[in-house]
Amino acid sequence: MRKKPEILATNTVARTRLFHVESVDLRFANGVEVQYERLKSNSSGAVLVVPMLDDDTVLMIREYSAGVDRYELGLPKGRMEPNESLLWAANRELMEEVGYAARSLEHITSLTLSPSYMSHNTHIVLARQLFEQRAEGDEPEEIEVVPWKLSQLGELLQRDDCTEARSIAALFMVRELLSGTKG
């Protein structure tokens, strides 16, 4: 196992409501010194929920995505509030964005986004035994809920409005889990 580089200094480069950019001065074991930049997460991470209406029907959402300036079809997600457990956060996001709650919540895995320069974690949660339960969220407009069959995942990936990698990865993981095959 390689020895991690020594952090010589960290400095805030910029901070916004959502982002905290740091410069990090590092010294590697071979003596080379470099400066990296990273997006430092200000939260406990985020949850991404795979709400299963039945063993083949997932409830997806279509909402505006400012980063790509279009409506995207993906899974409900959101940041975890301070001192909030990931399963509680998953059920809250499910109620806010889809209008359902779950009697069964299972943490599948946690994923990073671009770990070379981001410290953000997304916790993937499978939600089953759904029942109608709405909670008020912070979305600027009503979110469209779109049922989709996991058995038609190939067709979903052909769409121009379903490109979010975390959602795609989570759908494949849950499809594999529910089919009983482990890769």
Side-chain angles (χ1 to χ4, degrees):
M1 181 83 145
R2 287 188 166 174
K3 181 182 173 191
K4 287 188 345 182
E6 177 186 357
I7 297 176
L8 304 174
T10 59
N11 295 297
T12 296
V13 174
R15 187 184 293 265
T16 71
R17 182 177 60 86
L18 295 177
F19 300 107
H20 177 191
V21 181
E22 281 186 337
S23 67
V24 183
D25 296 330
L26 299 169
R27 179 182 301 125
F28 284 81
N30 63 4
V32 174
E33 292 186 13
V34 296
Q35 185 177 73
Y36 281 26
E37 286 185 354
R38 67 181 177 193
L39 287 172
K40 185 96 168 131
S41 179
N42 294 329
S43 71
S44 304
V47 292
L48 183 136
V49 187
V50 185
M52 298 301 300
L53 201 53
D54 58 48
D55 283 346
D56 191 37
T57 309
V58 61
L59 296 177
M60 300 186 71
I61 61 171
R62 181 176 288 116
E63 65 180 332
Y64 181 73
S65 298
V68 291
D69 188 28
R70 66 173 178 248
Y71 283 86
E72 269 288 304
L73 189 57
L75 292 169
K77 61 196 146 305
R79 76 179 176 126
M80 295 171 55
E81 300 297 335
N83 301 315
E84 186 176 44
S85 77
L86 68 96
L87 296 181
W88 183 264
N91 219 21
R92 176 183 49 76
E93 288 295 337
L94 185 58
M95 290 184 285
E96 291 174 2
E97 296 187 0
V98 183
Y100 281 83
R103 289 185 181 89
S104 172
L105 295 162
E106 179 184 352
H107 177 235
I108 302 298
T109 193
S110 297
L111 303 173
T112 58
L113 302 169
S114 302
S116 295
Y117 66 91
M118 289 179 71
S119 65
H120 183 77
N121 282 301
T122 300
H123 309 286
I124 309 298
V125 176
L126 172 60
R128 293 191 272 191
Q129 299 176 25
L130 304 182
F131 59 96
E132 289 188 35
Q133 181 73 44
R134 181 161 297 283
E136 189 173 330
D138 59 359
E139 289 75 17
E141 65 181 357
E142 188 174 335
I143 296 174
E144 180 185 357
V145 177
V146 179
W148 195 274
K149 299 288 185 189
L150 284 181
S151 57
Q152 297 174 344
L153 193 51
E155 293 171 32
L156 180 65
L157 299 180
Q158 299 301 312
R159 297 175 59 104
D160 292 337
D161 65 347
C162 183
T163 63
E164 204 253 334
R166 294 175 301 172
S167 289
I168 293 168
L171 290 168
F172 274 103
M173 286 186 272
V174 166
R175 184 179 73 173
E176 185 174 277
L177 179 74
L178 294 179
S179 72
T181 59
K182 294 265 180 173

